[in-house]
Amino acid sequence: MSFGAEELVKWKEKPEWFDRIVFDEYERLAAIGYTPKQIAMFYKIPHSDFQWYYDLVGSPLKYHYERGQLVQQAKEGITMTISAETGENVTQAQRLDKLRREVEFKNGINQIFFGDID
């Protein structure tokens, strides 16, 4: 199934509520694990409106959401790596190995289904 260019809806202009979002805070909310629906509620934005803009190709909402999750996971991974390097903390080494497998699995799935789509 292929989509024509006329079927792609890309991010062109920001909605009137966009300036309410503080992106450092937004990324932290994503890192904690809040869903886009919950974040929309936090900023008092109708979920359907927020989700529509979130799903657009090139959406800064999606970019910052994924960035928040990535930064937090990376910070945790770095901390685990430092703890595991000494070999004294076996639990951290096991957690790091599990995190690495999860990241590799997720990256593999994304590459298979989405390829180089951004």
Side-chain angles (χ1 to χ4, degrees):
M1 175 185 227
S2 65
F3 295 97
E6 66 277 358
E7 294 178 38
L8 276 181
V9 181
K10 296 184 177 183
W11 182 278
K12 293 182 182 162
E13 57 187 57
K14 61 185 182 179
E16 72 282 349
W17 45 258
F18 187 78
D19 291 332
R20 278 190 242 164
I21 299 172
V22 178
F23 280 99
D24 286 340
E25 179 180 64
Y26 177 87
E27 288 179 3
R28 281 190 221 104
L29 292 169
I32 293 168
Y34 287 107
T35 64
K37 180 179 181 177
Q38 291 169 320
I39 293 173
M41 289 173 61
F42 180 83
Y43 287 108
K44 298 180 181 175
I45 300 168
H47 174 252
S48 58
D49 195 28
F50 183 89
Q51 192 68 49
W52 192 83
Y53 282 95
Y54 179 89
D55 289 333
L56 291 176
V57 173
S59 171
L61 296 173
K62 186 169 187 170
Y63 168 81
H64 285 285
Y65 185 84
E66 291 176 348
R67 183 179 186 283
Q69 291 179 324
L70 170 69
V71 167
Q72 182 61 35
Q73 189 176 31
K75 285 179 183 178
E76 292 171 8
I78 290 167
T79 301
M80 282 190 271
T81 302
I82 292 168
S83 296
E85 281 176 354
T86 62
E88 294 174 17
N89 193 334
V90 177
T91 303
Q92 286 294 62
Q94 291 170 339
R95 286 184 65 212
L96 177 61
D97 190 45
K98 180 181 177 190
L99 175 63
R100 206 174 319 167
R101 283 194 311 270
E102 288 172 1
V103 169
E104 288 172 358
F105 180 77
K106 183 177 178 182
N107 289 341
I109 294 294
N110 286 337
Q111 185 61 37
I112 290 168
F113 285 104
F114 303 111
D116 291 332
I117 297 175
D118 286 326

mmCIF file of all heavy atoms in Angstrom, residues 51-73:
data_model
loop_
_atom_site.group_PDB
_atom_site.id
_atom_site.type_symbol
_atom_site.label_atom_id
_atom_site.label_comp_id
_atom_site.label_asym_id
_atom_site.label_seq_id
_atom_site.Cartn_x
_atom_site.Cartn_y
_atom_site.Cartn_z
ATOM 1 N N GLN A 51 -3.588 15.332 19.826
ATOM 2 C CA GLN A 51 -3.197 14.096 19.153
ATOM 3 C C GLN A 51 -3.069 14.302 17.648
ATOM 4 O O GLN A 51 -2.177 13.749 17.009
ATOM 5 C CB GLN A 51 -4.210 12.983 19.456
ATOM 6 C CG GLN A 51 -3.746 11.606 19.036
ATOM 7 C CD GLN A 51 -2.569 11.099 19.860
ATOM 8 O OE1 GLN A 51 -2.606 11.147 21.079
ATOM 9 N NE2 GLN A 51 -1.535 10.610 19.207
ATOM 10 N N TRP A 52 -3.959 15.114 17.082
ATOM 11 C CA TRP A 52 -3.891 15.376 15.645
ATOM 12 C C TRP A 52 -2.563 16.030 15.290
ATOM 13 O O TRP A 52 -1.890 15.610 14.347
ATOM 14 C CB TRP A 52 -5.065 16.261 15.211
ATOM 15 C CG TRP A 52 -5.205 16.333 13.726
ATOM 16 C CD1 TRP A 52 -5.827 15.448 12.911
ATOM 17 C CD2 TRP A 52 -4.660 17.358 12.878
ATOM 18 N NE1 TRP A 52 -5.727 15.857 11.604
ATOM 19 C CE2 TRP A 52 -5.023 17.016 11.557
ATOM 20 C CE3 TRP A 52 -3.933 18.512 13.098
ATOM 21 C CZ2 TRP A 52 -4.663 17.798 10.464
ATOM 22 C CZ3 TRP A 52 -3.567 19.292 12.007
ATOM 23 C CH2 TRP A 52 -3.944 18.932 10.704
ATOM 24 N N TYR A 53 -2.164 17.035 16.048
ATOM 25 C CA TYR A 53 -0.886 17.705 15.793
ATOM 26 C C TYR A 53 0.301 16.805 16.134
ATOM 27 O O TYR A 53 1.326 16.845 15.478
ATOM 28 C CB TYR A 53 -0.793 19.028 16.570
ATOM 29 C CG TYR A 53 -1.570 20.129 15.904
ATOM 30 C CD1 TYR A 53 -2.882 20.417 16.291
ATOM 31 C CD2 TYR A 53 -1.017 20.880 14.879
ATOM 32 C CE1 TYR A 53 -3.603 21.423 15.673
ATOM 33 C CE2 TYR A 53 -1.729 21.895 14.256
ATOM 34 C CZ TYR A 53 -3.022 22.157 14.655
ATOM 35 O OH TYR A 53 -3.726 23.151 14.026
ATOM 36 N N TYR A 54 0.155 15.975 17.161
ATOM 37 C CA TYR A 54 1.208 15.038 17.556
ATOM 38 C C TYR A 54 1.500 14.039 16.437
ATOM 39 O O TYR A 54 2.645 13.679 16.209
ATOM 40 C CB TYR A 54 0.764 14.304 18.827
ATOM 41 C CG TYR A 54 1.742 13.275 19.340
ATOM 42 C CD1 TYR A 54 2.739 13.625 20.231
ATOM 43 C CD2 TYR A 54 1.655 11.938 18.939
ATOM 44 C CE1 TYR A 54 3.638 12.687 20.726
ATOM 45 C CE2 TYR A 54 2.553 10.994 19.420
ATOM 46 C CZ TYR A 54 3.536 11.369 20.303
ATOM 47 O OH TYR A 54 4.421 10.442 20.770
ATOM 48 N N ASP A 55 0.466 13.603 15.724
ATOM 49 C CA ASP A 55 0.608 12.581 14.688
ATOM 50 C C ASP A 55 1.055 13.120 13.328
ATOM 51 O O ASP A 55 1.330 12.336 12.419
ATOM 52 C CB ASP A 55 -0.707 11.812 14.505
ATOM 53 C CG ASP A 55 -1.010 10.911 15.683
ATOM 54 O OD1 ASP A 55 -0.059 10.470 16.373
ATOM 55 O OD2 ASP A 55 -2.205 10.652 15.938
ATOM 56 N N LEU A 56 1.144 14.409 13.154
ATOM 57 C CA LEU A 56 1.563 14.968 11.871
ATOM 58 C C LEU A 56 3.021 14.617 11.575
ATOM 59 O O LEU A 56 3.842 14.491 12.480
ATOM 60 C CB LEU A 56 1.417 16.496 11.870
ATOM 61 C CG LEU A 56 0.004 17.048 11.894
ATOM 62 C CD1 LEU A 56 0.037 18.567 11.988
ATOM 63 C CD2 LEU A 56 -0.786 16.617 10.670
ATOM 64 N N VAL A 57 3.340 14.470 10.309
ATOM 65 C CA VAL A 57 4.723 14.231 9.887
ATOM 66 C C VAL A 57 5.541 15.472 10.235
ATOM 67 O O VAL A 57 5.154 16.591 9.929
ATOM 68 C CB VAL A 57 4.787 13.946 8.364
ATOM 69 C CG1 VAL A 57 6.231 13.860 7.888
ATOM 70 C CG2 VAL A 57 4.024 12.680 8.030
ATOM 71 N N GLY A 58 6.651 15.260 10.928
ATOM 72 C CA GLY A 58 7.517 16.370 11.321
ATOM 73 C C GLY A 58 7.041 17.110 12.559
ATOM 74 O O GLY A 58 7.485 18.229 12.818
ATOM 75 N N SER A 59 6.172 16.506 13.345
ATOM 76 C CA SER A 59 5.604 17.161 14.522
ATOM 77 C C SER A 59 6.654 17.397 15.609
ATOM 78 O O SER A 59 7.289 16.457 16.080
ATOM 79 C CB SER A 59 4.478 16.309 15.102
ATOM 80 O OG SER A 59 4.063 16.831 16.345
ATOM 81 N N PRO A 60 6.820 18.654 16.040
ATOM 82 C CA PRO A 60 7.723 18.905 17.165
ATOM 83 C C PRO A 60 7.189 18.300 18.461
ATOM 84 O O PRO A 60 7.956 17.997 19.365
ATOM 85 C CB PRO A 60 7.806 20.432 17.249
ATOM 86 C CG PRO A 60 6.710 20.962 16.418
ATOM 87 C CD PRO A 60 6.297 19.884 15.479
ATOM 88 N N LEU A 61 5.877 18.093 18.549
ATOM 89 C CA LEU A 61 5.309 17.453 19.741
ATOM 90 C C LEU A 61 5.827 16.025 19.865
ATOM 91 O O LEU A 61 6.228 15.588 20.947
ATOM 92 C CB LEU A 61 3.781 17.448 19.673
ATOM 93 C CG LEU A 61 3.094 18.809 19.674
ATOM 94 C CD1 LEU A 61 1.604 18.651 19.424
ATOM 95 C CD2 LEU A 61 3.370 19.551 20.963
ATOM 96 N N LYS A 62 5.818 15.300 18.766
ATOM 97 C CA LYS A 62 6.307 13.918 18.786
ATOM 98 C C LYS A 62 7.816 13.880 19.000
ATOM 99 O O LYS A 62 8.325 13.057 19.750
ATOM 100 C CB LYS A 62 5.933 13.194 17.491
ATOM 101 C CG LYS A 62 6.285 11.730 17.532
ATOM 102 C CD LYS A 62 5.681 10.974 16.387
ATOM 103 C CE LYS A 62 5.940 9.492 16.579
ATOM 104 N NZ LYS A 62 5.195 8.693 15.643
ATOM 105 N N TYR A 63 8.537 14.793 18.342
ATOM 106 C CA TYR A 63 9.986 14.839 18.487
ATOM 107 C C TYR A 63 10.374 15.036 19.952
ATOM 108 O O TYR A 63 11.209 14.316 20.488
ATOM 109 C CB TYR A 63 10.573 15.965 17.626
ATOM 110 C CG TYR A 63 12.030 16.235 17.960
ATOM 111 C CD1 TYR A 63 13.039 15.439 17.434
ATOM 112 C CD2 TYR A 63 12.376 17.259 18.838
ATOM 113 C CE1 TYR A 63 14.370 15.661 17.762
ATOM 114 C CE2 TYR A 63 13.710 17.489 19.172
ATOM 115 C CZ TYR A 63 14.696 16.687 18.632
ATOM 116 O OH TYR A 63 15.997 16.910 18.966
ATOM 117 N N HIS A 64 9.788 16.027 20.603
ATOM 118 C CA HIS A 64 10.140 16.323 21.993
ATOM 119 C C HIS A 64 9.680 15.221 22.947
ATOM 120 O O HIS A 64 10.330 14.969 23.958
ATOM 121 C CB HIS A 64 9.598 17.686 22.414
ATOM 122 C CG HIS A 64 10.381 18.822 21.839
ATOM 123 N ND1 HIS A 64 11.619 19.185 22.305
ATOM 124 C CD2 HIS A 64 10.108 19.661 20.812
ATOM 125 C CE1 HIS A 64 12.073 20.210 21.606
ATOM 126 N NE2 HIS A 64 11.175 20.514 20.685
ATOM 127 N N TYR A 65 8.578 14.569 22.615
ATOM 128 C CA TYR A 65 8.103 13.451 23.435
ATOM 129 C C TYR A 65 9.131 12.308 23.376
ATOM 130 O O TYR A 65 9.571 11.797 24.400
ATOM 131 C CB TYR A 65 6.741 12.971 22.917
ATOM 132 C CG TYR A 65 6.123 11.893 23.778
ATOM 133 C CD1 TYR A 65 5.401 12.223 24.908
ATOM 134 C CD2 TYR A 65 6.266 10.552 23.451
ATOM 135 C CE1 TYR A 65 4.830 11.238 25.706
ATOM 136 C CE2 TYR A 65 5.701 9.562 24.238
ATOM 137 C CZ TYR A 65 4.975 9.914 25.364
ATOM 138 O OH TYR A 65 4.423 8.935 26.151
ATOM 139 N N GLU A 66 9.521 11.938 22.174
ATOM 140 C CA GLU A 66 10.501 10.859 22.006
ATOM 141 C C GLU A 66 11.864 11.259 22.567
ATOM 142 O O GLU A 66 12.570 10.435 23.142
ATOM 143 C CB GLU A 66 10.601 10.472 20.529
ATOM 144 C CG GLU A 66 9.355 9.779 20.035
ATOM 145 C CD GLU A 66 9.384 9.461 18.552
ATOM 146 O OE1 GLU A 66 10.278 9.979 17.830
ATOM 147 O OE2 GLU A 66 8.507 8.704 18.107
ATOM 148 N N ARG A 67 12.241 12.524 22.429
ATOM 149 C CA ARG A 67 13.508 12.999 22.969
ATOM 150 C C ARG A 67 13.519 12.898 24.494
ATOM 151 O O ARG A 67 14.509 12.480 25.090
ATOM 152 C CB ARG A 67 13.774 14.437 22.548
ATOM 153 C CG ARG A 67 15.134 14.933 23.031
ATOM 154 C CD ARG A 67 15.423 16.368 22.593
ATOM 155 N NE ARG A 67 16.774 16.720 22.962
ATOM 156 C CZ ARG A 67 17.170 17.039 24.199
ATOM 157 N NH1 ARG A 67 16.299 17.062 25.180
ATOM 158 N NH2 ARG A 67 18.426 17.341 24.452
ATOM 159 N N GLY A 68 12.409 13.263 25.121
ATOM 160 C CA GLY A 68 12.323 13.165 26.575
ATOM 161 C C GLY A 68 12.511 11.736 27.053
ATOM 162 O O GLY A 68 13.233 11.480 28.022
ATOM 163 N N GLN A 69 11.883 10.796 26.362
ATOM 164 C CA GLN A 69 12.040 9.379 26.725
ATOM 165 C C GLN A 69 13.480 8.927 26.499
ATOM 166 O O GLN A 69 14.062 8.232 27.325
ATOM 167 C CB GLN A 69 11.081 8.522 25.907
ATOM 168 C CG GLN A 69 9.636 8.744 26.286
ATOM 169 C CD GLN A 69 8.693 7.896 25.453
ATOM 170 O OE1 GLN A 69 8.920 7.658 24.275
ATOM 171 N NE2 GLN A 69 7.630 7.432 26.081
ATOM 172 N N LEU A 70 14.053 9.322 25.385
ATOM 173 C CA LEU A 70 15.418 8.928 25.052
ATOM 174 C C LEU A 70 16.431 9.476 26.052
ATOM 175 O O LEU A 70 17.291 8.742 26.538
ATOM 176 C CB LEU A 70 15.781 9.414 23.642
ATOM 177 C CG LEU A 70 17.254 9.272 23.260
ATOM 178 C CD1 LEU A 70 17.628 7.805 23.090
ATOM 179 C CD2 LEU A 70 17.552 10.060 22.005
ATOM 180 N N VAL A 71 16.323 10.757 26.374
ATOM 181 C CA VAL A 71 17.285 11.381 27.287
ATOM 182 C C VAL A 71 17.244 10.697 28.649
ATOM 183 O O VAL A 71 18.287 10.384 29.228
ATOM 184 C CB VAL A 71 17.024 12.904 27.407
ATOM 185 C CG1 VAL A 71 17.795 13.514 28.566
ATOM 186 C CG2 VAL A 71 17.391 13.603 26.096
ATOM 187 N N GLN A 72 16.050 10.427 29.150
ATOM 188 C CA GLN A 72 15.940 9.771 30.457
ATOM 189 C C GLN A 72 16.520 8.360 30.413
ATOM 190 O O GLN A 72 17.260 7.951 31.302
ATOM 191 C CB GLN A 72 14.485 9.718 30.924
ATOM 192 C CG GLN A 72 14.304 9.103 32.288
ATOM 193 C CD GLN A 72 15.031 9.871 33.377
ATOM 194 O OE1 GLN A 72 15.134 11.090 33.339
ATOM 195 N NE2 GLN A 72 15.552 9.164 34.360
ATOM 196 N N GLN A 73 16.181 7.629 29.376
ATOM 197 C CA GLN A 73 16.696 6.261 29.245
ATOM 198 C C GLN A 73 18.216 6.278 29.108
ATOM 199 O O GLN A 73 18.911 5.437 29.686
ATOM 200 C CB GLN A 73 16.047 5.575 28.048
ATOM 201 C CG GLN A 73 16.355 4.097 27.965
ATOM 202 C CD GLN A 73 15.609 3.436 26.826
ATOM 203 O OE1 GLN A 73 15.330 4.050 25.800
ATOM 204 N NE2 GLN A 73 15.280 2.173 27.001
#
